[in-house]
Structures are given as C-alpha cells and as structure tokens.
Amino acid sequence: MNVLSDHFAEFREGFLGTVELTASSALLALVLGILIAGFRVSPVPALRAFGTAWVTLLRNTPLVLLFLAVTLGLPALGLKGWDSFWLAVLALGCYTSAFVCEAVRSGINTVPVGQAEAARSIGMTFTQTLGQIVLPQAARTAIPPLGSLMIALAKNTAIASGFNVAELAALQKQLNADEGYNIYVIFLWIAICYLIITFAISGIFRLLESRLAVAR
C-alpha cells in the first residue's frame, strides 16, 4: 500500500491521463472509422479506393511505427508545435479507426439490401440512406466488436509512455527509476488501474448493447 499512499497524486494524474487519452482517441477513431466505412460502401469508386487503402495501410502498420511516423514525420513536414498528447491521440485514433471501419462495415452488411433500395426509391440520397436507415440498424451488430476495440485502445495507450505522454505506463517507469519500489508491486497497482478503465468501458458497451436490444 505504501506505493499507492505515497504517490497517490501521481497515480491519480496517470489514471486521468490514460482516461483522457483513451476518450480523445476513441472519439477520433469512431468519427474516422464511421466516415471511412461510409467510403468503403460508397457508390463512388474513388472513395471506395481511398477507404480500402486507409484500412489496408493502417491495419498492417505496427502501432509503434505509426507513433514514430507521427512524432517525427509531422515536424519534418513543417507541422511543428503539436503537443505530445495530441500526437498520441492522432496516432491512436487513426490506427484504431481502421478496425472501427471494419466493425461498422460488417454491421452495414447485415442490413438487408432491400432497405437501402427502398430508401433510394423514395428519393433519399446515399448519405441520407446511410445515416438514417442503414447505420442505426448496423449499430446493433457493431456495438460488441466496438467495445472490444475500445478496450484494446485503452491498453494501447501504454505505448504513449515512450513518447513523453503522462499516463499510467509512464508512471511505472518513473517510480521504478526514481524511488526503487518493488517492480511487481508497481505493476500490480497499475494493472488494477487498467482493469478499472477496461471494466468501465465494458460496462458502457454492455449497457449500449442492452438498450439497442430492447429497442429492437
């Protein structure tokens, strides 16, 4: 308990940093993922090609390499002044968006084609059909895999510790180097913090799943 009691403020800062990083990255991933999923089912060939390239590239790129590309590549292109936190959000959000896209697209594929055809027959555009008819139904199927992706995202935030972002994994390095505590005790408390975050995400998505199931 001494590790937690002596450094409660640091644990709180690391915990909140991880929560903030997870939430910001998740928001970016969901927005981009849904947008790219729309591209992948679009009737416009150029958008489909862009969506396919986005998913193929990011799903097959190691996350650490993407972090390096963002933190070193953007300044090299003249885009300087970005905070390390937002660079981490960009890397995590873009990486996770490729997986979100595929989860959403799999949900879209479960919606009967006749519903989209009926919507187009009454004059609805592709965007209206996707947003008002297809995606609300696809959400029921996409929610469970999205929950798993958000849990994976929360754990992936640990990589940000290597890029000067204040979060739980960075706290482990600090305590182990500066204070000399037993590394297993430090890992135990940090693991408990991650469990709290992942259980909270799991609970939120179970609640969403049950709400949508009732509405069904």
Side-chain angles (χ1 to χ4, degrees), residues 188-207:
L188 173 63
W189 284 113
I190 290 177
I192 291 173
C193 290
Y194 275 111
L195 281 174
I196 293 171
I197 294 171
T198 55
F199 282 171
I201 294 173
S202 179
I204 291 171
F205 276 86
R206 279 201 303 268
L207 179 61

Side-chain angles (χ1 to χ4, degrees), residues 26-186:
L27 180 60
L28 178 61
L30 288 171
V31 171
L32 284 177
I34 293 172
L35 180 64
I36 299 300
F39 285 0
R40 294 212 65 186
V41 298
S42 170
V44 181
L47 292 180
R48 290 200 305 272
F50 178 84
T52 301
W54 179 278
V55 171
T56 302
L57 177 64
L58 292 177
R59 287 184 71 184
N60 293 285
T61 300
L63 182 52
V64 174
L65 182 60
L66 188 58
F67 264 93
L68 289 171
V70 169
T71 55
L72 301 178
L74 291 183
L77 294 174
L79 300 175
K80 300 180 180 180
W82 282 53
D83 184 83
S84 58
F85 174 85
W86 292 111
L87 289 173
V89 168
L90 183 61
L92 287 165
C94 289
Y95 177 78
T96 309
S97 70
F99 298 90
V100 170
C101 167
E102 292 302 276
V104 172
R105 190 168 70 95
S106 67
I108 291 174
N109 289 336
T110 64
V111 180
V113 177
Q115 299 208 22
E117 293 175 346
R120 287 195 295 268
S121 70
I122 61 174
M124 295 182 70
T125 65
F126 169 77
T127 303
Q128 291 172 329
T129 301
L130 186 65
Q132 299 177 30
I133 305 297
V134 178
L135 282 179
Q137 298 180 73
R140 298 189 181 108
T141 305
I143 286 296
L146 286 177
S148 298
L149 289 173
M150 294 304 108
I151 290 173
L153 170 60
K155 292 184 286 187
N156 283 340
T157 58
I159 296 177
S161 66
F163 296 87
N164 300 320
V165 179
E167 47 80 61
L168 286 169
L171 175 62
Q172 174 267 321
K173 294 180 181 179
Q174 175 188 336
L175 293 179
N176 190 49
D178 297 344
E179 303 295 339
Y181 288 111
N182 188 316
I183 189 171
Y184 296 108
V185 176
I186 299 173

Side-chain angles (χ1 to χ4, degrees), residues 9-26:
E10 289 90 338
F11 270 96
R12 180 182 59 193
E13 181 182 355
F15 180 85
L16 294 177
T18 298
V19 170
E20 185 179 1
L21 181 57
T22 301
S24 301
S25 303

